[in-house]
């Protein structure tokens, strides 16, 4: 039988990024937290934590954390049902991609967050990467681009996001004066979210018939700043229709590849737990997303 005080200490060290920070959250001494983690490892019969900076769980530690968080979610639901939730709020760890967070995510949940005592602990990554957070047990659910459910999880279709490659008319004149040809595309400065982001390469490859070797990437890991950066005229970039709309209205930007669209199909994946709170959050998110995102068969 696992000692959940020991598990709580282990989870705090991982979640807060260190023994000292974990001890502060638990109102314990650093020595007491260290001793609890050591005792948990002795009970488990294996190393659960890599003592790095910050500490990180081993594969066995990830499994232990996932189990702890699932049990804690169910216990919090039970406490709420019995009227014993002293803090008054439930915290839900959720993974979400940056573009969703910058556009539809909070509008989809406005009514729910106004009505329900829920706090969100958001982890932000690319939609192709958020599933790693779910598999590791770091989040209860995530917005992802995969339709097949992760083992032990349920999945719901949310909707589609369409991206197009935009730039200012002056950028087009300077860099695309001969149109979207390989030489121009490879040398033109292009806005990229991070080194995991390949949407622009895929879209350009589709338009050109071959994948370009982009020599001038401008990295900007901020979804909110993408449209202003494109509108500055310095770079071309992939924008969602709703991000581009205000600039298109005043002819500040143009579509560099008319007829070519990169579509991301978003899904909500979450643990398949008998949790009333997780179920209500899932329903609110799915319904809100389907109001705001493009719906396709």
């Amino acid at each position: 039988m696992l000692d959940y005080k020991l598990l709580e200490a282990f989870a705090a060290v991982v979640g807060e990024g260190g023994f000292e920070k974990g001890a502060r959250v638990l109102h314990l001494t650093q020595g007491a937290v260290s001793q609890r983690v050591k005792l948990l490892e002795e009970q488990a019969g294996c190393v659960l934590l890599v003592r790095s900076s910050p500490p990180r769980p081993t594969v066995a530690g990830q499994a232990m954390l996932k189990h702890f968080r699932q049990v804690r979610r169910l216990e919090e639901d039970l406490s709420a049902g019995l009227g014993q939730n002293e803090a008054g709020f439930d915290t839900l760890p959720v993974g979400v991609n940056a573009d969703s967070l910058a556009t539809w995510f909070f509008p989809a949940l406005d009514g729910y967050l106004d009505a329900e005592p829920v706090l969100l602990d958001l982890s932000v990554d690319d939609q192709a990467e958020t599933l790693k957070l779910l598999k590791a047990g770091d989040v209860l659910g995530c917005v992802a681009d995969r339709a097949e459910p992760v083992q032990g999880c349920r999945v719901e279709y949310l909707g589609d996001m369409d991206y197009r490659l935009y730039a200012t008319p002056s950028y087009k004149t300077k860099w695309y004066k001969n149109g979207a040809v390989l030489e121009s595309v490879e040398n033109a400065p292009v806005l990229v979210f991070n080194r995991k982001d390949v949407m622009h390469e895929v879209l350009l490859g589709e338009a050109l018939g071959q994948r370009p070797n982009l020599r001038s990437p401008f990295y900007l890991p901020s979804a909110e700043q993408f449209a202003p950066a494109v509108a500055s005229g310095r770079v071309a970039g992939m924008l969602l229709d709703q991000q581009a709309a205000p600039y298109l209205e005043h002819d500040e930007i143009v579509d560099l590849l008319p007829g070519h669209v990169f579509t991301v199909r978003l899904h909500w994946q979450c643990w398949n737990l008998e949790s009333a709170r997780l179920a209500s959050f899932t329903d609110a998110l799915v319904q809100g997303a389907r109001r705001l995102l493009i719906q396709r068969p």
Side-chain angles (χ1 to χ4, degrees):
M1 187 72 176
L2 292 172
D3 186 331
Y4 281 85
K5 287 186 178 180
L6 307 186
L7 263 172
E8 183 182 37
F10 174 59
V13 170
V14 175
E16 298 300 319
F19 283 88
E20 183 179 352
K21 293 177 180 178
R24 192 179 304 134
V25 168
L26 296 175
H27 306 291
L28 296 170
T29 66
Q30 184 174 337
V33 170
S34 180
Q35 183 64 22
R36 289 186 181 188
V37 173
K38 183 179 179 181
L39 285 173
L40 181 64
E41 289 180 320
E42 290 175 357
Q43 288 184 7
C46 61
V47 175
L48 301 174
L49 191 69
V50 177
R51 270 71 169 176
S52 55
S53 183
R56 55 185 177 83
T58 63
V59 173
Q62 289 177 352
M64 191 76 76
L65 277 174
K66 186 173 183 179
H67 169 76
F68 172 71
R69 288 166 177 158
Q70 288 177 337
V71 171
R72 186 171 63 178
R73 173 69 263 152
L74 295 174
E75 287 180 345
E76 287 174 352
D77 272 18
L78 178 61
S79 295
L82 297 174
Q84 297 174 352
N85 189 345
E86 297 178 1
F89 286 96
D90 281 340
T91 297
L92 296 180
V94 171
V96 62
N97 59 311
D99 284 344
S100 291
L101 188 61
T103 53
W104 63 267
F105 184 80
F106 278 116
L109 290 169
D110 270 348
Y112 181 81
L113 293 176
D114 288 341
E116 299 294 332
V118 169
L119 302 175
L120 297 180
D121 181 359
L122 297 177
S123 297
V124 182
D125 208 330
D126 185 81
Q127 62 269 4
E129 300 293 321
T130 51
L131 279 178
K132 293 179 181 178
L133 300 171
L134 184 65
K135 292 175 181 178
D138 294 334
V139 296
L140 290 171
C142 68
V143 177
D145 62 0
R146 176 174 156 178
E148 300 78 21
V150 172
Q151 184 177 3
C153 295
R154 56 177 287 200
V155 61
E156 296 277 358
Y157 170 66
L158 296 174
D160 291 358
M161 298 195 305
D162 286 347
Y163 294 81
R164 293 174 173 83
L165 185 65
Y166 290 103
T168 60
S170 60
Y171 177 101
K172 182 179 181 181
T173 299
K174 180 177 182 179
W175 295 103
Y176 279 57
K177 58 185 176 183
N178 296 319
V181 296
L182 186 63
E183 183 180 1
S184 299
V185 166
E186 289 190 329
N187 289 298
V190 62
L191 195 61
V192 184
F193 186 78
N194 59 28
R195 284 163 177 81
K196 302 173 188 174
D197 179 10
V198 296
M199 287 193 298
H200 47 289
E201 293 181 15
V202 173
L203 187 69
L204 285 165
E206 175 190 296
L208 298 171
Q210 67 179 98
R211 198 112 164 209
N213 178 24
L214 301 177
R215 301 188 180 97
S216 304
F218 185 119
Y219 293 104
L220 178 62
S222 170
E224 292 82 0
Q225 292 302 315
F226 246 61
V230 171
S232 73
R234 301 184 185 95
V235 290
M238 301 283 287
L239 297 179
L240 289 166
D241 291 344
Q242 54 263 54
Q243 291 175 311
Y247 300 93
L248 289 170
E249 187 177 343
H250 298 96
D251 299 320
E252 296 176 66
I253 60 175
V254 294
D255 186 350
L256 291 178
L257 302 171
H260 294 278
V261 181
F262 186 95
T263 297
V264 174
R265 295 179 68 82
L266 293 178
H267 299 80
W268 169 248
Q269 298 227 22
C270 65
W271 292 345
N272 195 20
L273 295 176
E274 293 296 327
S275 165
R277 177 63 72 200
L278 182 57
S280 67
F281 178 83
T282 293
D283 290 344
L285 180 66
V286 170
Q287 292 175 23
R290 289 178 180 174
R291 288 196 308 270
L292 299 171
L293 294 174
I294 301 166
Q295 299 298 300
R296 296 188 176 105

